Amino acid sequence: MELKSIYKNWFKTKPLSIVIMIAFLTGVTMILLFALKIINYSWLTGWVLGITSFLFGIFISKKAVKLLLENENHFLFYFFFLLRLGIYATPLFIAFFNNNVIFDYCGVLIGLSPILLLPFINHKIQNINVY
């Protein structure tokens, strides 16, 4: 019975707080692994790059839906979709092409991991009212 109420409360919270909580937990894990000298600083910088691009992608997504509801210009929505894909792909290209000197691709992938939650919570992040 308690597990059911915990499960219900988990989805009643704001979805952006769930994403930020997951980012915080991965950050604490990365810092702990760095303190134990299991990983180096390039993983941390890759994680920061991944998280920032993820949050910027969410901002672009919210802006695209808002403009679509105001203007009904679907070409602008497609443009924002392609822009968001570029925002997600750019940190990976940076990490792969600099030979892991500054940003490690594993840290970038960990930073971009909250993208896996977007199909489940995207409607709550967008906060779309039905007209």
Side-chain angles (χ1 to χ4, degrees):
M1 187 85 155
E2 285 184 25
L3 185 61
K4 187 176 180 181
S5 64
I6 291 172
Y7 179 75
K8 283 183 179 178
N9 289 337
W10 174 263
F11 286 104
K12 284 183 182 177
T13 60
K14 298 203 183 269
L16 198 55
S17 65
I18 294 171
V19 170
I20 290 174
M21 183 175 61
I22 289 174
F24 176 74
L25 291 175
T26 57
V28 168
T29 306
M30 296 284 280
I31 290 172
L32 181 66
L33 290 173
F34 179 72
L36 295 174
K37 301 208 186 290
I38 296 174
I39 59 175
N40 56 6
Y41 76 95
S42 64
W43 281 59
L44 290 175
T45 55
W47 176 77
V48 168
L49 183 67
I51 286 292
T52 21
S53 66
F54 168 71
L55 293 175
F56 193 62
I58 285 181
F59 171 73
I60 291 292
S61 177
K62 288 183 75 153
K63 187 73 167 172
V65 169
K66 180 181 172 189
L67 287 175
L68 179 68
L69 291 176
E70 287 177 2
N71 301 333
E72 297 180 7
N73 185 358
H74 60 279
F75 293 115
L76 186 63
F77 184 75
Y78 296 149
F79 169 72
F80 277 120
F81 175 74
L82 291 175
L83 183 66
R84 191 173 63 174
L85 285 179
I87 288 170
Y88 293 151
T90 302
L92 289 173
F93 287 138
I94 290 171
F96 282 127
F97 291 135
N98 73 355
N99 295 329
N100 300 334
V101 177
I102 300 172
F103 305 109
D104 196 311
Y105 70 92
C106 295
V108 173
L109 288 175
I110 293 171
L112 288 174
S113 63
I115 291 175
L116 299 174
L117 291 176
L118 282 182
F120 303 111
I121 60 174
N122 199 22
H123 64 284
K124 290 185 178 182
I125 289 176
Q126 299 298 335
N127 197 12
I128 300 171
N129 297 328
V130 177
Y131 293 106

